Amino acid sequence: MNFRMKKDCANVDWRAVADILKEVGMAHHSPEMHAKAFKASYTRVFIYDEDKLIGFGRAISDGAYQAAVYDCAVLPEYQGHKLGTRIMDALLKDVGECNVILYAAPGKEGFYQKQGFSRMKTGMARFTSPDAMRDKGFTE
């Protein structure tokens, strides 16, 4: 395996982004919607094995004191190679000393705890699909 990381959106296969998110059970949208979101983000990371996109993540931020991580995913067959950690390390380095929040997929909280994240007691959310997010275990 020959892993490489890139941070720009040039030549990204946005269909692959949507497909990977779907495969790992995360929210996914049209390729065009993902392109818009990643391009508008403060920072983003893509991991490739040769020319195959295998993982990615992005963060939005004000660049001063607040940031949020979204769409951090690695194909299942590549999990266990510390690629998620590499993605998170790069994103967190880019947002600097900001407070950082994120949504952890149910069952994946342990990964983020290893990255220094703690569960929030006062987090609130207003989702466009509240029933679906409750059914998936994100909200009460």
Side-chain angles (χ1 to χ4, degrees):
M1 291 183 225
N2 184 21
F3 302 128
R4 67 180 172 88
M5 179 186 297
K6 75 176 219 155
K7 292 187 165 190
D8 64 74
C9 293
N11 301 314
V12 170
D13 179 351
W14 299 110
R15 167 56 55 202
V17 170
D19 291 346
I20 291 169
L21 287 168
K22 183 177 182 180
E23 184 169 344
V24 300
M26 292 174 60
H28 55 283
H29 305 279
S30 69
E32 297 78 18
M33 187 76 87
H34 288 299
K36 180 178 181 179
F38 275 81
K39 289 175 182 177
S41 295
Y42 185 81
T43 186
R44 80 275 314 142
V45 177
F46 301 93
I47 301 279
Y48 290 83
D49 182 5
E50 299 291 339
D51 292 328
K52 179 182 179 182
L53 180 63
I54 60 170
F56 44 79
R58 65 185 184 93
I60 60 174
S61 179
D62 55 23
Y65 54 85
Q66 298 292 349
V69 171
Y70 293 96
D71 301 328
C72 187
V74 175
L75 278 171
E77 61 266 30
Y78 287 93
Q79 293 176 9
H81 295 280
K82 303 286 186 193
L83 298 173
T85 299
R86 286 179 61 186
I87 291 167
M88 288 300 299
D89 287 349
L91 295 174
L92 294 174
K93 180 181 177 191
D94 287 350
V95 299
E97 294 300 314
C98 286
N99 296 311
V100 181
I101 61 170
L102 58 78
Y103 298 113
K108 299 294 185 180
E109 298 90 347
F111 169 78
Y112 295 104
Q113 288 173 325
K114 290 177 186 174
Q115 305 299 314
F117 287 85
S118 301
R119 289 182 182 265
M120 292 177 59
K121 293 182 180 183
T122 59
M124 303 294 287
R126 181 172 178 241
F127 292 108
T128 57
S129 301
D131 294 336
M133 295 307 281
R134 185 180 53 254
D135 292 348
K136 292 178 183 178
F138 283 97
T139 59
E140 297 175 348

